[in-house]
Amino acid sequence: MIFLDEVKSRVLSGAGFGFFQTMFMAFALLVPTMYFSSLDISIVVYAFLLSIGDVFSFIMKPILGALTDRHGERRFLLFGGLAFIFCLFLVGQTTDIFLITIFKIISGVASALVFVTIIIYSLRYVKDEPENKIGIFNGLSNLGWIVGLLIPGMFVDSFGISPAFYLILVVGIIWVVFMFKFARKYESGESAKPSFAFVKRIWKFILLKTMDLAMFSAFIFFFTRYALKDLGLPGSTVSFIVIAEVLLFSGTNFLIGRVSNRRIRKYWLPLAIILHLGAATAMVFGTEISHYYIVGMLIGAAGGFVDIWMYSHISENFGYLEKGKVLGTLGWSHDLSTIIGAQVPILFIAFGFGTFTALYVFPVIMAITYIFMKLFKRRGYSGYYSYL
């Protein structure tokens, strides 16, 4: 029997771990992005460096998820956190593209694995009426993005790019010590097997979350470059625009987590698709800074609706002994979204289209997936489509 205090403790402590993790994910997005821009590398190499680590973490996540089902999450949190912080720090200590690529691969893999481990740790025992717990975890943990996005822009403007990597090292050590002290232990004794068989059960979640996150990734990667190199905006302004996205994401999680239930949950995915289409339109036709704030806010709200819809269904339909396998495999969406978010705009540029026109691709694929799922439901394939 899983006691309520165990569920609550994991959700709250996991939210604390997640706060630091999202803060460092923001550091890992903005600080290297600003550093790469200062190296005056080509846009193709730029996109490659941003996404290379996700290729390798993609392979590891299902295996990691299965291992947490057997051994618990604590040791993976600590090892991954240390590898992430030290390799991210080392990225800023060289201008050699080969060494940067190696450090980016290791830091990217470690970051991705720690991120998915925190989700498994926090939501493993969440089962009945999950929306509120998911909203609390997502809302609190993602507030770390605000700190992580605010500090680099102001810090780099004041002290330059190189000292920002030392800030990452110091705060990162504090984060790992925090996890060492508060992460709860878990042992199941179950045999650990890779979770590839779960793909057929959660393919729709992987695809939908990939497209949702690809909107965010493409916006961050290419708006940051566009704002710094073409518009001449300071790094702090870029940070404030992305902070608007995070505030709407966290706020949507809190609010929708409190009011959502199985009956009204079916509306969240269509609403998220509409919001993403609005964000793409605002970005393509936007000419003022206020338009870019609107883009970030629409993307953030859409992500909140998707997460409440998705994690609620997973919590209700999978047992705690298999949560690692399920959520580990679902973690593919984070790797795929970074790769797709970096490469699809490059493809559009190659064919002579505008960079931000590519943003329409992601909600269109989400809409097609949603329609496909509805058609399966109408033809009698109930089961995993019953929540629509």
Side-chain angles (χ1 to χ4, degrees), residues 258-274:
R258 294 182 68 86
V259 303
S260 182
N261 54 52
R262 290 177 63 90
R263 181 177 57 83
I264 63 175
R265 193 187 302 162
K266 61 184 179 181
Y267 298 112
W268 300 153
L269 183 57
L271 183 54
I273 294 170
I274 293 171

PDB file of all heavy atoms in Angstrom, residues 258-274:
ATOM      1  N   ARG A 258      -6.267  22.252 -11.056  1.00  0.00           N
ATOM      2  CA  ARG A 258      -7.262  22.373  -9.993  1.00  0.00           C
ATOM      3  C   ARG A 258      -8.691  22.167 -10.491  1.00  0.00           C
ATOM      4  O   ARG A 258      -9.564  21.737  -9.729  1.00  0.00           O
ATOM      5  CB  ARG A 258      -7.147  23.744  -9.318  1.00  0.00           C
ATOM      6  CG  ARG A 258      -5.838  23.952  -8.571  1.00  0.00           C
ATOM      7  CD  ARG A 258      -5.799  25.314  -7.890  1.00  0.00           C
ATOM      8  NE  ARG A 258      -6.759  25.392  -6.801  1.00  0.00           N
ATOM      9  CZ  ARG A 258      -6.544  24.996  -5.559  1.00  0.00           C
ATOM     10  NH1 ARG A 258      -5.372  24.447  -5.246  1.00  0.00           N
ATOM     11  NH2 ARG A 258      -7.459  25.116  -4.637  1.00  0.00           N
ATOM     12  N   VAL A 259      -8.958  22.469 -11.745  1.00  0.00           N
ATOM     13  CA  VAL A 259     -10.342  22.400 -12.241  1.00  0.00           C
ATOM     14  C   VAL A 259     -10.589  21.201 -13.149  1.00  0.00           C
ATOM     15  O   VAL A 259     -11.738  20.857 -13.416  1.00  0.00           O
ATOM     16  CB  VAL A 259     -10.720  23.693 -12.997  1.00  0.00           C
ATOM     17  CG1 VAL A 259     -10.527  24.904 -12.115  1.00  0.00           C
ATOM     18  CG2 VAL A 259      -9.913  23.844 -14.285  1.00  0.00           C
ATOM     19  N   SER A 260      -9.534  20.551 -13.620  1.00  0.00           N
ATOM     20  CA  SER A 260      -9.703  19.489 -14.608  1.00  0.00           C
ATOM     21  C   SER A 260     -10.213  18.199 -13.976  1.00  0.00           C
ATOM     22  O   SER A 260      -9.995  17.923 -12.796  1.00  0.00           O
ATOM     23  CB  SER A 260      -8.365  19.216 -15.313  1.00  0.00           C
ATOM     24  OG  SER A 260      -8.511  18.218 -16.301  1.00  0.00           O
ATOM     25  N   ASN A 261     -10.903  17.402 -14.775  1.00  0.00           N
ATOM     26  CA  ASN A 261     -11.337  16.059 -14.394  1.00  0.00           C
ATOM     27  C   ASN A 261     -11.517  15.247 -15.664  1.00  0.00           C
ATOM     28  O   ASN A 261     -11.319  15.747 -16.773  1.00  0.00           O
ATOM     29  CB  ASN A 261     -12.639  16.107 -13.575  1.00  0.00           C
ATOM     30  CG  ASN A 261     -13.745  16.874 -14.288  1.00  0.00           C
ATOM     31  OD1 ASN A 261     -14.062  16.597 -15.447  1.00  0.00           O
ATOM     32  ND2 ASN A 261     -14.338  17.842 -13.597  1.00  0.00           N
ATOM     33  N   ARG A 262     -11.868  13.974 -15.518  1.00  0.00           N
ATOM     34  CA  ARG A 262     -11.968  13.087 -16.679  1.00  0.00           C
ATOM     35  C   ARG A 262     -13.005  13.573 -17.689  1.00  0.00           C
ATOM     36  O   ARG A 262     -12.869  13.343 -18.891  1.00  0.00           O
ATOM     37  CB  ARG A 262     -12.307  11.666 -16.227  1.00  0.00           C
ATOM     38  CG  ARG A 262     -11.179  10.969 -15.495  1.00  0.00           C
ATOM     39  CD  ARG A 262     -11.618   9.589 -15.020  1.00  0.00           C
ATOM     40  NE  ARG A 262     -11.944   8.721 -16.146  1.00  0.00           N
ATOM     41  CZ  ARG A 262     -11.074   7.934 -16.753  1.00  0.00           C
ATOM     42  NH1 ARG A 262      -9.799   7.912 -16.360  1.00  0.00           N
ATOM     43  NH2 ARG A 262     -11.452   7.164 -17.753  1.00  0.00           N
ATOM     44  N   ARG A 263     -14.030  14.244 -17.209  1.00  0.00           N
ATOM     45  CA  ARG A 263     -15.120  14.649 -18.097  1.00  0.00           C
ATOM     46  C   ARG A 263     -14.714  15.775 -19.038  1.00  0.00           C
ATOM     47  O   ARG A 263     -15.071  15.775 -20.217  1.00  0.00           O
ATOM     48  CB  ARG A 263     -16.341  15.076 -17.262  1.00  0.00           C
ATOM     49  CG  ARG A 263     -17.550  15.494 -18.100  1.00  0.00           C
ATOM     50  CD  ARG A 263     -18.714  15.830 -17.192  1.00  0.00           C
ATOM     51  NE  ARG A 263     -18.383  16.871 -16.233  1.00  0.00           N
ATOM     52  CZ  ARG A 263     -18.423  18.171 -16.502  1.00  0.00           C
ATOM     53  NH1 ARG A 263     -18.765  18.595 -17.715  1.00  0.00           N
ATOM     54  NH2 ARG A 263     -18.115  19.056 -15.574  1.00  0.00           N
ATOM     55  N   ILE A 264     -13.964  16.751 -18.542  1.00  0.00           N
ATOM     56  CA  ILE A 264     -13.620  17.910 -19.364  1.00  0.00           C
ATOM     57  C   ILE A 264     -12.210  17.829 -19.953  1.00  0.00           C
ATOM     58  O   ILE A 264     -11.816  18.677 -20.746  1.00  0.00           O
ATOM     59  CB  ILE A 264     -13.771  19.222 -18.574  1.00  0.00           C
ATOM     60  CG1 ILE A 264     -12.800  19.256 -17.388  1.00  0.00           C
ATOM     61  CG2 ILE A 264     -15.203  19.400 -18.111  1.00  0.00           C
ATOM     62  CD1 ILE A 264     -12.811  20.583 -16.641  1.00  0.00           C
ATOM     63  N   ARG A 265     -11.468  16.799 -19.577  1.00  0.00           N
ATOM     64  CA  ARG A 265     -10.083  16.669 -20.042  1.00  0.00           C
ATOM     65  C   ARG A 265      -9.976  16.584 -21.566  1.00  0.00           C
ATOM     66  O   ARG A 265      -8.968  16.981 -22.151  1.00  0.00           O
ATOM     67  CB  ARG A 265      -9.454  15.431 -19.413  1.00  0.00           C
ATOM     68  CG  ARG A 265      -7.952  15.315 -19.551  1.00  0.00           C
ATOM     69  CD  ARG A 265      -7.483  13.962 -19.038  1.00  0.00           C
ATOM     70  NE  ARG A 265      -7.863  13.759 -17.650  1.00  0.00           N
ATOM     71  CZ  ARG A 265      -7.899  12.564 -17.061  1.00  0.00           C
ATOM     72  NH1 ARG A 265      -7.597  11.485 -17.745  1.00  0.00           N
ATOM     73  NH2 ARG A 265      -8.244  12.453 -15.790  1.00  0.00           N
ATOM     74  N   LYS A 266     -11.007  16.068 -22.212  1.00  0.00           N
ATOM     75  CA  LYS A 266     -10.963  15.857 -23.659  1.00  0.00           C
ATOM     76  C   LYS A 266     -10.834  17.156 -24.449  1.00  0.00           C
ATOM     77  O   LYS A 266     -10.471  17.139 -25.625  1.00  0.00           O
ATOM     78  CB  LYS A 266     -12.211  15.108 -24.123  1.00  0.00           C
ATOM     79  CG  LYS A 266     -13.515  15.857 -23.855  1.00  0.00           C
ATOM     80  CD  LYS A 266     -14.708  15.005 -24.258  1.00  0.00           C
ATOM     81  CE  LYS A 266     -16.025  15.723 -23.967  1.00  0.00           C
ATOM     82  NZ  LYS A 266     -17.193  14.885 -24.330  1.00  0.00           N
ATOM     83  N   TYR A 267     -11.124  18.290 -23.813  1.00  0.00           N
ATOM     84  CA  TYR A 267     -11.059  19.571 -24.525  1.00  0.00           C
ATOM     85  C   TYR A 267      -9.648  20.169 -24.534  1.00  0.00           C
ATOM     86  O   TYR A 267      -9.383  21.092 -25.308  1.00  0.00           O
ATOM     87  CB  TYR A 267     -12.020  20.579 -23.888  1.00  0.00           C
ATOM     88  CG  TYR A 267     -13.467  20.155 -23.954  1.00  0.00           C
ATOM     89  CD1 TYR A 267     -14.163  19.818 -22.795  1.00  0.00           C
ATOM     90  CD2 TYR A 267     -14.137  20.085 -25.178  1.00  0.00           C
ATOM     91  CE1 TYR A 267     -15.486  19.425 -22.841  1.00  0.00           C
ATOM     92  CE2 TYR A 267     -15.472  19.683 -25.238  1.00  0.00           C
ATOM     93  CZ  TYR A 267     -16.134  19.357 -24.057  1.00  0.00           C
ATOM     94  OH  TYR A 267     -17.449  18.956 -24.122  1.00  0.00           O
ATOM     95  N   TRP A 268      -8.764  19.670 -23.685  1.00  0.00           N
ATOM     96  CA  TRP A 268      -7.470  20.332 -23.523  1.00  0.00           C
ATOM     97  C   TRP A 268      -6.580  20.209 -24.751  1.00  0.00           C
ATOM     98  O   TRP A 268      -5.895  21.153 -25.124  1.00  0.00           O
ATOM     99  CB  TRP A 268      -6.735  19.785 -22.293  1.00  0.00           C
ATOM    100  CG  TRP A 268      -7.446  19.947 -20.984  1.00  0.00           C
ATOM    101  CD1 TRP A 268      -7.308  19.155 -19.885  1.00  0.00           C
ATOM    102  CD2 TRP A 268      -8.386  20.968 -20.600  1.00  0.00           C
ATOM    103  NE1 TRP A 268      -8.106  19.588 -18.845  1.00  0.00           N
ATOM    104  CE2 TRP A 268      -8.772  20.701 -19.257  1.00  0.00           C
ATOM    105  CE3 TRP A 268      -8.951  22.055 -21.244  1.00  0.00           C
ATOM    106  CZ2 TRP A 268      -9.681  21.501 -18.563  1.00  0.00           C
ATOM    107  CZ3 TRP A 268      -9.867  22.854 -20.564  1.00  0.00           C
ATOM    108  CH2 TRP A 268     -10.217  22.576 -19.252  1.00  0.00           C
ATOM    109  N   LEU A 269      -6.569  19.056 -25.399  1.00  0.00           N
ATOM    110  CA  LEU A 269      -5.692  18.886 -26.561  1.00  0.00           C
ATOM    111  C   LEU A 269      -6.117  19.758 -27.743  1.00  0.00           C
ATOM    112  O   LEU A 269      -5.266  20.442 -28.333  1.00  0.00           O
ATOM    113  CB  LEU A 269      -5.623  17.409 -26.968  1.00  0.00           C
ATOM    114  CG  LEU A 269      -4.679  17.096 -28.135  1.00  0.00           C
ATOM    115  CD1 LEU A 269      -3.258  17.553 -27.833  1.00  0.00           C
ATOM    116  CD2 LEU A 269      -4.697  15.600 -28.439  1.00  0.00           C
ATOM    117  N   PRO A 270      -7.405  19.773 -28.131  1.00  0.00           N
ATOM    118  CA  PRO A 270      -7.792  20.685 -29.220  1.00  0.00           C
ATOM    119  C   PRO A 270      -7.471  22.139 -28.906  1.00  0.00           C
ATOM    120  O   PRO A 270      -7.066  22.903 -29.793  1.00  0.00           O
ATOM    121  CB  PRO A 270      -9.305  20.458 -29.343  1.00  0.00           C
ATOM    122  CG  PRO A 270      -9.534  19.092 -28.802  1.00  0.00           C
ATOM    123  CD  PRO A 270      -8.532  18.919 -27.699  1.00  0.00           C
ATOM    124  N   LEU A 271      -7.662  22.531 -27.650  1.00  0.00           N
ATOM    125  CA  LEU A 271      -7.370  23.909 -27.275  1.00  0.00           C
ATOM    126  C   LEU A 271      -5.874  24.200 -27.408  1.00  0.00           C
ATOM    127  O   LEU A 271      -5.471  25.272 -27.875  1.00  0.00           O
ATOM    128  CB  LEU A 271      -7.829  24.162 -25.842  1.00  0.00           C
ATOM    129  CG  LEU A 271      -7.652  25.587 -25.297  1.00  0.00           C
ATOM    130  CD1 LEU A 271      -8.316  26.611 -26.209  1.00  0.00           C
ATOM    131  CD2 LEU A 271      -8.217  25.692 -23.881  1.00  0.00           C
ATOM    132  N   ALA A 272      -5.030  23.242 -27.036  1.00  0.00           N
ATOM    133  CA  ALA A 272      -3.578  23.421 -27.169  1.00  0.00           C
ATOM    134  C   ALA A 272      -3.183  23.596 -28.633  1.00  0.00           C
ATOM    135  O   ALA A 272      -2.324  24.423 -28.967  1.00  0.00           O
ATOM    136  CB  ALA A 272      -2.851  22.222 -26.564  1.00  0.00           C
ATOM    137  N   ILE A 273      -3.793  22.835 -29.525  1.00  0.00           N
ATOM    138  CA  ILE A 273      -3.494  22.945 -30.958  1.00  0.00           C
ATOM    139  C   ILE A 273      -3.848  24.336 -31.478  1.00  0.00           C
ATOM    140  O   ILE A 273      -3.082  24.957 -32.228  1.00  0.00           O
ATOM    141  CB  ILE A 273      -4.247  21.852 -31.741  1.00  0.00           C
ATOM    142  CG1 ILE A 273      -3.709  20.462 -31.357  1.00  0.00           C
ATOM    143  CG2 ILE A 273      -4.102  22.079 -33.251  1.00  0.00           C
ATOM    144  CD1 ILE A 273      -4.548  19.326 -31.887  1.00  0.00           C
ATOM    145  N   ILE A 274      -5.001  24.839 -31.074  1.00  0.00           N
ATOM    146  CA  ILE A 274      -5.431  26.176 -31.492  1.00  0.00           C
ATOM    147  C   ILE A 274      -4.451  27.241 -30.997  1.00  0.00           C
ATOM    148  O   ILE A 274      -4.079  28.168 -31.725  1.00  0.00           O
ATOM    149  CB  ILE A 274      -6.855  26.463 -30.979  1.00  0.00           C
ATOM    150  CG1 ILE A 274      -7.863  25.548 -31.683  1.00  0.00           C
ATOM    151  CG2 ILE A 274      -7.227  27.930 -31.191  1.00  0.00           C
ATOM    152  CD1 ILE A 274      -9.257  25.596 -31.086  1.00  0.00           C
TER     153      ILE A 274
END
